[in-house]
Amino acid sequence: MTQLNRRHFLSSGIAVAGGGVLGALGLSDVADAAPAGTAGTRPLRIQDREITSGWTFTAADDTAASGDGVASARHIAGMKPAVVPGTPLTSMIANGDYPDPLYGHIVTDTVPDTLKDTGYWYRVAFPVPRLSPGQRFWLHFDGVNYLATVWLNGTEVGTIEGAFKRGVFDVSDIVAKADGTAHLAVLVGKLDHTDPPSPPSYASGVTRGGRNGGKTGITLENGPTFFCTAGWDWLPTIPDRDLGIWQPVTWSTTGPVRLTDVHVDPTLSADLRTADITIGLGLDSAFDRSRAVVVKGTIDGHGFERTVTVPAGSSSVTVTSKDIGALRLNRPKLWWPNGYGDSYRYRLTIGVESGGQVHDERTVDFGVRRIEYTKQLQSPSGTPADCLAITVNNQPILVMGGNWGLDEALKRIPRERLREQVRLHRDANLNLIRNWNGQSSTEDFFDACDEYGILVWQDFFCSTEGPPPANTDRDLDNIRDCIVRFRNHPSVLLWCGGNEGPPPQPLIDGLDALVAELDPKRAALTSSAGDTGKDPIDGYSSGGPYHWVTPGTHFSLNDGTHWPPFHNEVGSYSIPTLEFIKKMLPEASWEHPDDFWADRDVNGNGGNGGGAGYLELTAERYGELRNLPDFARKSQLMNYECIRAIYEAHAANMASAAPGKPYPRTGVIMWMTNPAQPSFVWQMYSHDLEAHASFYAVQHACRRVNVILNSETLDVVVANHTRTALRGTVAVTLYDLNGKAFAGTSLRVGGAAASDHTVVGSIAPQLKDAPSDVAFVRLLFREAHGAEPVRSFYWIENPARAAGFVSLDDAPAAAVSVVARTRHGRDGLDLTVEVENTGRAMALMLHLQVYDTRTGERVLPATFSDNYLNLAGGESSTVRVRLDSGQTRHHPGIGVRIDGWKIDQHASRLRGHGVAVTFNQAALSTHPPTNTFGG
């Protein structure tokens, strides 16, 4: 069985629970022990050690064993191997009890829903060191869903309540008597409130009974848990509700003084020239009286120290740049959001010591940045309103983000997978992730967002889809721990109470008070739908649309005449590739949409008339759906044009209010960018991390310099997210259905203002001469002193005879040249693919995949620098992808295959140097003798 191994790093503290009476160990003079390295001494501090192997588990209802018995060397019948971190269902899948229910199955038909109706015992034995005098031993739990009671060597040591609350237990007295082995047992409690499963129904046109959160939504009454696992319009009912030890379990040792919290609070000057660092330390001392200790640390290698007096028990110490000169940074390196500069992080190592012995030490990576949250706009009532509009380091930021509903349906989130998911957002040019209802709150997530420059809109645990939590104190306790735990991360933009509506007033008041106490520089919003707290922030909302609409609709809704200017939920269907559709559905369902499609969310939220309505819409716009490959290729065009418009409509109307357009756009967060399960909706890559057309639509739309065609007005817009004005020209070329240029013009860009949009002209006059139903538009923006030009491509209807894009099937097939080369390095392989349109016909949506030549399987993740290419005759593009050493080791035979809208294979040329190059025949087989799709 595979054990997940993850880097764990604790950078802030929590309340201490459990036993650990150290007075019996005679600590009064330990701090004056000989320095480390003296004969007969051992270091007191042992860094966190993760307990990953040897875990077993069983349903609590299946055993009569008690905690003292499970936390011992006794044989307990019925225990099976467990994956930790993981859920019971994850362990059952690993043990072969059930297949992976997300692929080729309907979840609730495959796994009994009774898994949620019991708690679970987990146990493990692990070696522990012999403790030196004064040494303290700590057990750390980073997350247990939903309740936990912990035993060690037959003794109950404490409890944890809520999925997002850590537990830290001082078990020194138990370990001191352990004789080298500790026996750990955890009883994971079941949810107090659950609904029965919500089965899928394709024929209904709605998702799982038409209601998110189960039949009654009562799962939300439990308080902090993964309530979406009751069933949502993007997630099937998960049979175990993701119970279990879902985050790492570690142990560590300290001396008599432990760091319970390290809070790093930088203040960046308005001119960005200096930063003053304040460090707040939480301390827990086992000494029986006040003692002097040395706080010693380094910031990026520059050392400092200060002697402080620590009382017995819990206390806090604050040091500032007034106390320690090294805490003032001159000309600091700044943390920037993705696309605006480096996401630099300083490294603080800080510890407490005395008598030459290090009691405890922490390492914290932090960023220096300055955030402003609002700008004043006129509200619909005519009064000024402080609207949500983000400025970082004096640079206005158009938020272009993605919502995460859940990082993974079964919480299978090893660190490297999570990091890849965030990296994909970086590569798509996004700058924010909204952590919907806090369901993906882990150190790994925030570490990755810090690294890749992704701001985080951090929700908490309330939703309008059900009743509020029954235990308000428990909810606030989990919120407190999240704020303390994650506030050092520069990626955290703001805290938000919940989803689409205000939580109960005690939670609103509690959140506002916690942020004021623990993290007052950050904004606290009441909910994603609006803010009702003190000095409320206005100008944002959720609300969709969540289904496919024309690009022109998005431009119309975001033209500066509609309130509010910040939209944090808007999405569409997002159909994956042919290969992934076949992977996630049983073969009998490939060409016949049914309940298996519904379990993969094809009904969405009922928009477009559900899955059946979306298929009809696709056929109306692009022509009859002949077979599954035809559906997949037409859906990529549907994906691309709608999802690109979600972002481009905001970029084309950002920053400047204009006469009659008082509400310029300040941000958009797509619903969603990360799929929790294999899905047909609300994603920009598949569950297996394959980037399909939606991803490249986002990547192209969110470029920091972009040239955009407003499909509603036919204006050409330069969107400039940078800090400097731009000058240059936009070359416009229009092509007919056969790929022949029929019109063109050059538009002067006299000065596209920094962090703003500029309308430079219109194609409406040229479009009047379109000879066919469909026209292709190439926009090429070249800066006056710029390097690589910015290219954009559109297919649009002729306004004189709008008839959708059915006639694309009448266009001639394109002849292409594809030449692929590889270059091997020490840590992987660089793949370069040169693609050229060697004919006259338009080469539309050319799609590249990397595959294993032995098995034909895709090699993933493999994110190309560009994909779904659109090339007019004579145009070319060079595309790159990087494969790491693990991928090349597992796939010694690498190939590249290509498909597209229509390719003339006989007239095309494919060549590979060190790599096979082929046509993707399965994806190109779109015209069967008899139509086979549907019915």
Side-chain angles (χ1 to χ4, degrees):
M1 178 182 61
T2 301
Q3 297 287 348
L4 306 183
N5 211 348
R6 299 192 263 187
R7 178 176 69 86
H8 173 65
F9 141 120
L10 182 64
S11 65
S12 54
I14 49 181
V16 178
V21 181
L22 293 178
L25 297 179
L27 298 179
S28 58
D29 296 312
V30 168
D32 297 322
T38 303
T41 66
R42 292 183 297 168
L44 297 176
R45 169 68 176 158
I46 297 177
Q47 298 285 351
D48 295 341
R49 306 283 180 86
E50 187 172 348
I51 307 169
T52 58
S53 61
W55 288 90
T56 57
F57 84 117
T58 190
D61 289 355
D62 292 345
T63 180
S66 58
D68 59 345
V70 181
S72 72
R74 298 179 210 166
H75 172 73
I76 305 294
M79 303 295 292
K80 292 185 176 182
V83 176
V84 174
T87 69
L89 181 53
T90 302
S91 295
M92 293 173 190
I93 293 170
N95 293 337
D97 298 328
Y98 301 107
D100 187 327
L102 303 183
Y103 288 86
H105 298 273
I106 293 173
V107 174
T108 50
D109 289 349
T110 306
V111 182
D113 199 60
T114 53
L115 298 188
K116 73 180 188 308
D117 297 329
T118 177
Y120 291 88
W121 278 109
Y122 285 81
R123 75 187 310 217
V124 68
F126 61 98
V128 294
R130 181 173 63 85
L131 299 183
S132 302
Q135 193 173 21
R136 307 169 79 183
F137 189 101
W138 305 87
L139 272 176
H140 307 259
F141 291 81
D142 277 3
V144 180
N145 185 36
Y146 152 71
L147 308 171
T149 308
V150 180
W151 283 264
L152 192 70
N153 285 9
T155 300
E156 182 178 336
V157 298
T159 61
I160 308 167
E161 295 191 16
F164 305 101
K165 176 74 188 293
R166 291 167 297 169
V168 175
F169 305 101
D170 181 352
V171 292
S172 308
D173 49 354
I174 300 172
V175 170
K177 305 171 186 176
D179 196 25
T181 302
H183 297 276
L184 175 62
V186 183
L187 177 61
V188 176
K190 65 183 179 180
L191 299 177
D192 295 307
H193 310 283
T194 59
D195 267 331
S198 298
S201 169
Y202 179 77
S204 72
V206 296
T207 181
R208 302 179 180 92
R211 192 187 194 289
N212 290 331
K215 184 177 180 180
T216 68
I218 199 170
T219 300
L220 280 94
E221 197 168 329
N222 293 293
T225 185
F226 303 115
F227 57 76
C228 53
T229 59
W232 225 263
D233 50 16
W234 46 268
L235 191 71
T237 302
I238 305 300
D240 66 352
R241 306 302 191 267
D242 284 347
L243 295 172
I245 304 174
W246 71 280
Q247 281 289 281
V249 181
T250 59
W251 65 267
S252 65
T253 67
T254 69
V257 181
R258 175 177 177 262
L259 286 168
T260 60
D261 180 35
V262 178
H263 180 203
V264 185
D265 184 16
T267 300
L268 180 61
S269 64
D271 61 9
L272 313 182
R273 292 183 178 181
T274 60
D276 292 293
I277 311 301
T278 298
I279 301 175
L281 302 178
L283 301 167
D284 175 66
S285 172
F287 290 123
D288 57 4
R289 64 180 186 273
S290 296
R291 298 295 298 268
V293 298
V294 177
V295 175
K296 183 179 288 188
T298 62
I299 293 181
D300 275 12
H302 300 286
F304 61 88
E305 64 179 68
R306 183 175 178 83
T307 300
V308 298
T309 299
V310 178
S314 298
S315 64
S316 60
V317 171
T318 300
V319 292
T320 71
S321 58
K322 294 179 180 179
D323 307 313
I324 298 171
L327 298 185
R328 165 160 279 204
L329 305 177
N330 293 308
R331 298 193 179 279
K333 299 175 183 177
L334 303 183
W335 186 92
W336 286 96
N338 180 34
Y340 295 91
D342 292 336
S343 303
Y344 187 83
R345 287 168 293 162
Y346 287 89
R347 172 153 291 184
L348 167 71
T349 299
I350 193 164
V352 289
E353 59 182 72
S354 62
Q357 280 276 23
V358 176
H359 292 265
D360 200 4
E361 189 176 71
R362 294 286 185 272
T363 297
V364 179
D365 290 341
F366 68 95
V368 174
R369 82 284 187 277
R370 174 187 179 89
I371 295 180
E372 299 162 75
Y373 289 94
T374 63
K375 80 173 181 181
Q376 204 166 82
L377 294 173
Q378 179 180 302
S379 72
S381 67
T383 59
D386 291 325
C387 294
L388 185 63
I390 303 304
T391 299
V392 180
N393 303 334
N394 301 335
Q395 166 69 32
I397 303 292
L398 177 68
V399 168
M400 304 181 92
N403 284 276
W404 281 33
L406 193 66
D407 38 28
E408 205 280 327
L410 306 186
K411 302 305 288 185
R412 297 174 293 190
I413 45 171
R415 182 174 184 270
E416 284 309 310
R417 175 186 171 88
L418 198 73
R419 189 169 175 273
E420 285 296 315
Q421 290 168 232
V422 177
R423 179 190 62 80
L424 283 164
H425 287 66
R426 187 275 309 271
D427 291 350
N429 295 320
L430 294 177
N431 55 34
L432 180 140
I433 291 171
R434 176 181 168 219
N435 186 5
W436 179 87
N437 285 114
Q439 303 284 281
S440 304
S441 298
T442 65
E443 281 287 353
D444 291 343
F445 170 72
F446 287 100
D447 282 347
C449 290
D450 289 349
E451 177 184 356
Y452 291 125
I454 303 298
L455 295 163
V456 178
W457 173 312
Q458 175 68 10
D459 276 4
F460 287 120
F461 318 120
C462 276
S463 173
T464 56
E465 302 284 357
N471 190 328
T472 298
D473 289 342
R474 178 191 294 161
D475 214 64
L476 288 172
D477 197 33
N478 278 246
I479 290 173
R480 170 181 283 275
D481 196 49
C482 280
I483 294 173
V484 170
R485 183 179 186 182
F486 301 127
R487 62 186 173 180
N488 288 330
H489 290 276
S491 56
V492 177
L493 174 67
L494 56 81
W495 311 105
C496 181
N499 181 52
E500 295 185 343
Q505 196 62 43
L507 281 173
I508 296 172
D509 296 340
L511 172 63
D512 287 347
L514 286 171
V515 174
E517 173 196 352
L518 302 171
D519 197 23
K521 290 181 183 176
R522 284 192 174 97
L525 304 180
T526 302
S527 82
S528 64
D531 189 20
T532 62
K534 183 182 178 183
D535 301 322
I537 293 175
D538 206 344
Y540 71 92
S541 73
S542 49
Y546 299 98
H547 52 277
W548 196 95
V549 299
T550 64
T553 300
H554 285 299
F555 279 94
S556 175
L557 291 173
N558 296 285
D559 64 357
T561 67
H562 298 273
W563 180 267
F566 193 117
H567 205 170
N568 60 36
E569 287 187 15
V570 53
S572 178
Y573 277 82
S574 181
I575 309 300
T577 62
L578 172 67
E579 290 77 13
F580 189 73
I581 295 173
K582 289 182 174 180
K583 181 179 177 181
M584 71 180 179
L585 298 173
E587 186 170 355
S589 298
W590 286 356
E591 304 236 330
H592 306 286
D594 57 10
D595 289 351
F596 288 93
W597 287 58
D599 215 37
R600 304 286 80 83
D601 311 322
V602 78
N603 283 334
N605 69 339
N608 295 133
Y614 172 76
L615 297 179
E616 291 177 7
L617 178 63
T618 304
E620 289 172 6
R621 193 161 181 84
Y622 285 101
E624 183 181 7
L625 305 177
R626 302 180 182 90
N627 61 3
L628 185 63
D630 192 37
F631 167 68
R633 69 159 186 157
K634 287 173 177 172
S635 291
Q636 299 311 310
L637 277 77
M638 292 280 282
N639 290 355
Y640 191 90
E641 58 169 333
C642 179
I643 286 177
R644 179 171 62 172
I646 288 173
Y647 291 100
E648 287 194 340
H650 285 76
N653 291 285
M654 66 175 173
S656 293
K661 295 185 175 183
Y663 312 129
R665 303 296 91 182
T666 58
V668 60
I669 311 177
M670 188 169 80
W671 186 263
M672 293 183 289
T673 46
N674 177 71
Q677 72 141 352
S679 181
F680 284 107
V681 298
W682 303 331
Q683 59 190 351
M684 65 176 185
Y685 49 80
S686 307
H687 184 256
D688 63 357
L689 307 187
E690 181 182 32
H692 48 266
S694 298
F695 176 90
Y696 296 97
V698 175
Q699 184 187 71
H700 297 157
C702 296
R703 292 174 292 192
R704 295 300 174 259
V705 175
N706 199 11
V707 55
I708 296 168
L709 177 63
N710 183 324
S711 56
E712 178 70 8
T713 64
L714 300 179
D715 286 338
V716 176
V717 183
V718 173
N720 177 17
H721 302 255
T722 74
R723 284 170 270 180
T724 57
L726 301 174
R727 297 179 183 276
T729 57
V730 176
V732 180
T733 309
L734 281 74
Y735 303 86
D736 68 13
L737 192 62
N738 296 318
K740 181 181 178 181
F742 67 84
T745 188
S746 179
L747 303 174
R748 180 174 172 270
V749 182
S755 305
D756 207 344
H757 74 281
T758 303
V759 177
V760 297
S762 173
I763 68 164
Q766 290 79 22
L767 194 58
K768 291 178 181 178
D769 298 326
S772 50
D773 293 345
V774 176
F776 302 111
V777 182
R778 166 67 76 203
L779 304 179
L780 192 154
F781 171 53
R782 191 183 299 275
E783 293 182 53
H785 303 289
E788 195 70 21
V790 178
R791 298 172 184 268
S792 296
F793 182 89
Y794 300 84
W795 53 96
I796 60 174
E797 297 174 89
N798 183 338
R801 50 178 191 267
F805 300 106
V806 176
S807 62
L808 283 178
D809 255 343
D810 298 327
V816 297
S817 167
V818 182
V819 181
R821 295 179 173 85
T822 59
R823 184 177 63 82
H824 290 268
R826 288 190 304 173
D827 56 351
L829 179 146
D830 291 311
L831 181 64
T832 301
V833 186
E834 297 172 1
V835 184
E836 181 182 0
N837 183 344
T838 57
R840 297 179 179 178
M842 190 65 65
L844 187 63
M845 297 293 275
L846 298 176
H847 171 223
L848 302 168
Q849 284 181 327
V850 179
Y851 73 101
D852 187 316
T853 55
R854 298 172 304 168
T855 66
E857 292 295 321
R858 295 158 298 147
V859 177
L860 298 171
T863 310
F864 290 85
S865 60
D866 198 2
N867 214 332
Y868 293 91
L869 309 173
N870 297 290
L871 302 174
E875 289 186 332
S876 63
S877 180
T878 299
V879 178
R880 295 176 178 84
V881 66
R882 174 76 176 168
L883 302 179
D884 63 34
S885 56
Q887 290 174 306
T888 55
R889 186 167 56 252
H890 288 102
H891 306 283
I894 294 293
V896 174
R897 60 191 177 206
I898 185 169
D899 61 83
W901 181 252
K902 294 179 75 174
I903 297 178
D904 184 341
Q905 297 185 35
H906 296 292
S908 297
R909 302 192 305 271
L910 309 183
R911 285 183 294 160
H913 301 274
V915 59
V917 182
T918 62
F919 291 109
N920 187 341
Q921 297 293 355
L924 290 168
S925 298
T926 58
H927 289 71
T930 303
N931 291 359
T932 58
F933 190 78

